[in-house]
Amino acid sequence: MLRAKQAPEHIRGAWRGTSWIVEVIATGTRDGKTFRQTHFFLTSLRTTPEALLQLVRDRWSIESWHWIRDTQLHEDAHRYRGNGAGAMATLRTAALNLLRLAGFQSIRAGMQAVLTTSRRYWRWRRESQN
């Protein structure tokens, strides 16, 4: 649910250009438990509430993608230089897309499955060479 109202004068004075306070209430179920979260945004955009909601959704879909990349792949910890940064970002994106295409809803579960499978392969290969 989204509600937007014109920002009061004291807020417009403190944040020049601000015209709206937007309240987004997100509800749903996560891990079998219901949740309700309220987020507030200040914006200078003068548009419809529907357009504001779409902008908020677009922004958070990007943020959630970056959150997955950092928490599961530790992307922010790497300090690649030159072409290495772009190349590694491309490889990470490909890996995440392959996990999704393979049907994994959870990136973590997908990575654990790949790790388990690769360990089994290398163990089999090592044993077959003996």
Side-chain angles (χ1 to χ4, degrees):
M1 178 173 78
L2 177 132
R3 291 189 283 202
K5 65 180 182 179
Q6 189 170 17
E9 186 59 42
H10 70 280
I11 290 179
R12 285 184 290 183
W15 287 285
R16 191 187 298 286
T18 298
S19 56
W20 293 99
I21 296 176
V22 180
E23 177 185 21
V24 177
I25 300 172
T27 59
T29 305
R30 190 174 295 132
D31 297 327
K33 298 177 185 174
T34 58
F35 69 89
R36 177 187 166 109
Q37 297 175 327
T38 303
H39 305 276
F40 291 95
F41 302 91
L42 296 175
T43 183
S44 60
L45 297 174
R46 294 187 175 148
T47 186
T48 64
E50 293 79 17
L52 286 172
L53 182 59
Q54 188 59 50
L55 288 170
V56 169
R57 285 180 174 158
D58 291 347
R59 171 69 181 180
W60 284 106
S61 69
I62 293 168
E63 289 299 326
S64 67
W65 182 249
H66 286 291
W67 182 82
I68 289 169
R69 294 172 73 100
D70 191 37
T71 58
Q72 300 303 310
L73 303 176
H74 308 288
E75 188 171 61
D76 289 349
H78 297 288
R79 299 290 178 245
Y80 297 105
R81 290 186 169 29
N83 294 334
M88 290 305 297
T90 301
L91 290 172
R92 285 188 198 98
T93 299
L96 292 173
N97 287 332
L98 286 171
L99 290 174
R100 292 285 189 218
L101 286 171
F104 289 101
Q105 296 298 314
S106 164
I107 298 300
R108 175 180 236 160
M111 289 175 52
Q112 288 174 340
V114 168
L115 181 61
T116 300
T117 302
S118 62
R119 283 180 177 160
R120 285 180 186 157
Y121 168 76
W122 290 111
R123 189 177 317 120
W124 169 81
R125 182 152 184 208
R126 198 172 41 249
E127 290 170 359
S128 67
Q129 290 177 348
N130 291 335

